[in-house]
């Protein structure tokens, strides 16, 4: 009853105020200075729509990509290596420049050895990074260990730069007893808590909204760090990507999105994936500061990422980098890319390979020579093969690991399954290569 009386009372006041407003307007309408009076009430300027800054026009015109100039591509290394100028405000010493080349070569040699090992049946699966070394190493060199990394499955170079050892790579690909994931992950699904590198998952784009959530947590705890999230242009077609962009922009999260636009989502070329101006055009649309970079130019990737990180932490806002590169290798060992692209196309991009471009630049400034190159490649190949041989000798994890690491306390139904497996192996152990397991 009290609620009904209160509602009626409020309703009566509301209508009383409404009648007063109507009477006030009528008085102004009958006054000679009507326009001035109304103008003083509602204002003389055009209304400003919520969330949009716009102007009014009487021209009926639909906007499409032809109305804009394409977003330019930032680069430092031109094809002739002439008039190359490095940004003065972001220093890069000679030792770091040589280390960058070292890691690019290491990644390339590791790829070739592990790819061949899969072809020989030694490991089950592999994905190379050939042609995309600059995108990974250049960006990784510009961030710190305090920054949290969410990667896809072609960012081994990022982990390599952060200190993941060669034997760690080999153990993971072999899934042996020294693999930190205990053989539960597919090869190349790396992860390292120590190096702030979240374990890679196979489903596309799932890491994007997760990365934004982590970035928001860094913001709440006022950490002097950011999140760097890598993904391919194919993953940008997933709904998770759009949700992540909007989430990051509206909550102003310290995150750098790095899109590795390598031309193909497995076998689907970019011309069949989207019709706009690449992935970079989506950044401003969501309110994210954006730059498009030559992903085959390791110095351009370094400086763009370095600047993005500083601004990202300083302003506490997201940034998007679209790294334009090309996947020279097959999508994976399960793919034959010559079925959907020509050999001539691959050969064409081989002439613009990141390692060759950077090597030529180092030689042009006197930091590198052919003899140094031969010695470096020989040394790296020996270290990779040594780690490869060590990992191959290790036993597989104990079969009981199949039932571990899911629950803190193993439930009864899982214990029952493990007991059943144990009885099965006791009876049929001769049919299983148990000597290969720890």
């Amino acid at each position: 009853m009290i609620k009904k009386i209160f509602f009626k009372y409020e309703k009566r006041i509301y209508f009383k105020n409404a009648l007063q407003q109507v009477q006030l307007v009528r008085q102004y309408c009958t006054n000679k200075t009507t326009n001035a009076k109304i103008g003083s009430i509602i204002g003389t300027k055009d209304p400003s729509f919520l969330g949009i800054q716009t102007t009014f026009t009487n021209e009926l015109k639909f906007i499409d990509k032809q109305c804009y100039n394409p977003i330019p591509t930032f680069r430092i290394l031109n094809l002739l290596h002439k008039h190359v100028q490095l940004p003065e405000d972001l220093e890069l010493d000679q030792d770091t420049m040589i280390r960058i080349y070292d890691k690019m070569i290491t990644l390339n040699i590791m790829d070739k050895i592990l790819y061949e090992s899969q072809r020989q049946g030694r490991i089950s699966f592999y994905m190379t990074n050939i042609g995309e070394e600059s995108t990974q190493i250049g960006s990784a060199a510009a961030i710190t260990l305090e920054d949290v990394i969410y990667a896809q499955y072609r960012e081994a170079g990022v982990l390599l730069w952060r200190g993941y050892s060669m034997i760690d790579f080999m153990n993971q690909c072999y899934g042996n007893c020294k693999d930190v994931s205990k053989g539960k992950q597919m090869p190349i699904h790396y992860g390292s808590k120590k190096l702030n590198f979240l374990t890679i998952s196979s489903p596309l784009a799932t890491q994007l909204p997760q990365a934004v959530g982590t970035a928001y947590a860094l913001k709440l705890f006022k950490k002097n760090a950011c999140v760097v999230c890598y993904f391919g242009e194919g993953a940008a077609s997933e709904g998770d990507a759009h949700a992540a962009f909007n989430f990051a922009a509206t909550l102003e999260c310290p995150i750098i999105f790095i899109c590795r636009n390598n031309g193909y989502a497995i076998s689907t070329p970019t011309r069949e994936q989207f019709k706009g101006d690449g992935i970079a055009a989506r950044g401003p649309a969501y309110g994210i500061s954006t730059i498009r970079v030559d992903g085959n130019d390791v110095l351009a990737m370094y400086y763009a990422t370095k600047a993005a990180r500083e601004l990202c932490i300083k302003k506490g806002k997201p940034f998007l980098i679209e790294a334009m590169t090309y996947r020279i290798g097959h999508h994976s060992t399960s793919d034959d890319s010559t079925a959907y692209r020509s050999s001539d196309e691959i050969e064409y991009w081989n002439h613009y390979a990141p390692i060759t471009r950077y090597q030529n630049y180092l030689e042009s400034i006197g930091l590198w020579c052919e003899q140094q190159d031969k010695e470096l490649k020989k040394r790296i190949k020996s270290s990779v093969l040594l780690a490869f041989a060590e990992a191959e000798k290790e036993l597989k994890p104990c079969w009981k690991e199949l039932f571990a690491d899911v629950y803190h306390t193993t439930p009864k139904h899982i214990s029952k399954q493990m007991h059943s497996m144990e009885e099965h192996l006791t009876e049929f152990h001769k049919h299983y290569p148990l000597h290969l397991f720890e």
Side-chain angles (χ1 to χ4, degrees):
M1 181 63 72
I2 294 177
K3 290 183 178 180
K4 288 182 178 180
I5 294 174
F6 183 77
F7 174 75
K8 288 181 179 179
Y9 176 71
E10 288 294 322
K11 191 173 182 180
R12 192 180 300 117
I13 293 175
Y14 173 82
F15 280 114
K16 183 179 179 181
N17 290 338
L19 289 171
Q20 289 176 348
Q21 293 292 329
V22 172
Q23 291 172 359
L24 183 62
V25 171
R26 283 177 177 174
Q27 289 177 6
Y28 281 116
C29 288
T30 56
N31 196 293
K32 293 181 179 180
T33 58
T34 298
N35 293 335
K37 293 290 184 179
I38 293 178
S40 65
I41 295 175
I42 65 174
T44 56
K45 295 182 179 180
D46 289 322
S48 178
F49 295 106
L50 299 178
I52 299 294
Q53 293 182 359
T54 185
T55 58
F56 290 89
T57 178
N58 59 4
E59 180 184 4
L60 179 59
K61 181 181 180 182
F62 292 94
I63 305 299
D64 57 27
K65 67 177 183 179
Q66 305 301 326
C67 300
Y68 302 93
N69 291 324
I71 295 175
T73 302
F74 169 68
R75 77 174 184 184
I76 292 177
L77 298 179
N78 54 54
L79 298 180
L80 300 176
H81 304 112
K82 293 182 179 180
H83 310 296
V84 174
Q85 292 184 342
L86 306 183
E88 296 179 358
D89 54 336
L90 297 171
E91 295 182 1
L92 188 61
D93 58 78
Q94 294 182 356
D95 289 341
T96 303
M97 292 176 73
I98 292 176
R99 185 181 174 222
I100 286 173
Y101 184 70
D102 181 299
K103 297 301 180 184
M104 292 172 70
I105 294 295
T106 302
L107 180 61
N108 187 262
I109 291 175
M110 181 183 79
D111 274 348
K112 291 176 180 177
I113 290 174
L114 284 173
Y115 183 86
E116 289 302 320
S117 72
Q118 192 281 333
R119 286 293 185 247
Q120 295 167 6
R122 290 170 151 175
I123 61 175
S124 61
F125 179 80
Y126 194 69
M127 300 179 78
T128 66
N129 306 272
I130 299 172
E132 303 176 49
E133 297 91 350
S134 287
T135 298
Q136 301 174 38
I137 304 296
S139 59
I143 55 184
T144 70
L145 285 176
E146 285 70 39
D147 300 321
V148 183
I149 306 298
Y150 279 82
Q152 196 164 312
Y153 42 62
R154 218 180 294 276
E155 276 76 43
V158 178
L159 199 49
L160 179 66
W161 180 270
R162 291 171 82 85
Y164 205 64
S165 70
M166 190 54 59
I167 190 63
D168 287 334
F169 279 110
M170 297 299 171
N171 288 337
Q172 199 284 326
C173 287
Y174 268 95
N176 59 34
C177 61
K178 291 189 177 180
D179 169 25
V180 292
S181 60
K182 301 176 183 178
K184 292 185 173 70
Q185 288 277 9
M186 286 176 62
I188 64 93
H189 287 57
Y190 312 110
S192 174
K193 183 177 181 181
K194 175 184 175 182
L195 300 176
N196 259 343
F197 191 101
L198 276 291
T199 303
I200 297 167
S201 58
S202 289
L204 283 182
T206 56
Q207 77 274 19
L208 273 84
Q210 295 166 2
V212 178
T214 298
Y216 189 55
L218 292 179
K219 177 180 180 177
L220 294 179
F221 287 103
K222 299 181 179 179
K223 298 288 185 179
N224 189 35
C226 68
V227 172
V228 182
C229 181
Y230 294 86
F231 58 99
E233 91 288 339
S237 297
E238 295 287 337
D240 283 355
H242 298 275
F245 293 157
N246 199 47
F247 186 8
T250 55
L251 294 180
E252 297 186 337
C253 300
I255 181 171
I256 303 173
F257 295 105
I258 298 182
C259 176
R260 171 182 24 80
N261 189 340
N262 63 16
Y264 289 91
I266 308 182
S267 59
T268 306
T270 52
R271 64 179 176 272
E272 296 179 14
Q273 295 179 52
F274 47 77
K275 293 298 182 183
D277 183 23
I279 307 303
R282 302 179 191 180
Y286 277 104
I288 299 175
S289 298
T290 301
I291 186 171
R292 175 176 284 151
V293 182
D294 182 351
N296 289 348
D297 179 348
V298 70
L299 295 181
M301 278 304 302
Y302 171 81
Y303 285 113
T305 308
K306 187 80 170 177
R309 183 186 183 275
E310 291 184 3
L311 292 170
C312 180
I313 294 176
K314 181 180 179 180
K315 295 185 176 182
K317 293 182 179 181
F319 283 77
L320 169 62
I321 297 174
E322 182 181 22
M324 306 304 297
T325 182
Y326 186 81
R327 192 195 78 212
I328 292 177
H330 304 296
H331 174 73
S332 71
T333 49
S334 303
D335 172 51
D336 177 10
S337 63
T338 58
Y340 52 83
R341 61 179 182 175
S342 68
S343 298
D344 290 340
E345 178 182 309
I346 300 172
E347 183 60 28
Y348 170 82
W349 280 101
N350 258 315
H351 289 294
Y352 302 100
I355 290 179
T356 303
R357 285 179 65 182
Y358 191 51
Q359 178 187 351
N360 291 340
Y361 171 69
L362 292 178
E363 290 178 355
S364 72
I365 60 175
L367 279 183
W368 204 247
C369 67
E370 186 177 348
Q371 183 61 33
Q372 287 175 297
D373 205 60
K374 289 181 179 178
E375 293 174 358
L376 175 69
K377 290 177 180 177
K378 181 179 179 181
R379 174 178 59 81
I380 291 174
K381 185 175 181 179
S382 296
S383 64
V384 173
L385 287 173
L386 179 62
F388 177 82
E390 289 181 11
E392 196 169 38
K393 293 176 183 177
E394 297 292 342
L395 295 174
K396 297 294 183 183
C398 176
W399 63 266
K400 290 185 179 181
E401 292 293 347
L402 284 168
F403 307 95
D405 299 329
V406 178
Y407 300 93
H408 183 267
T409 302
T410 306
K412 292 181 179 180
H413 72 283
I414 296 295
S415 296
K416 185 178 179 180
Q417 290 175 21
M418 185 167 67
H419 180 66
S420 176
M421 179 74 170
E422 192 167 21
E423 290 181 335
H424 176 80
L425 290 176
T426 300
E427 183 177 355
F428 300 102
H429 64 277
K430 293 181 180 179
H431 300 281
Y432 296 94
L434 295 179
H435 65 284
L436 299 179
F437 291 78
E438 194 176 42

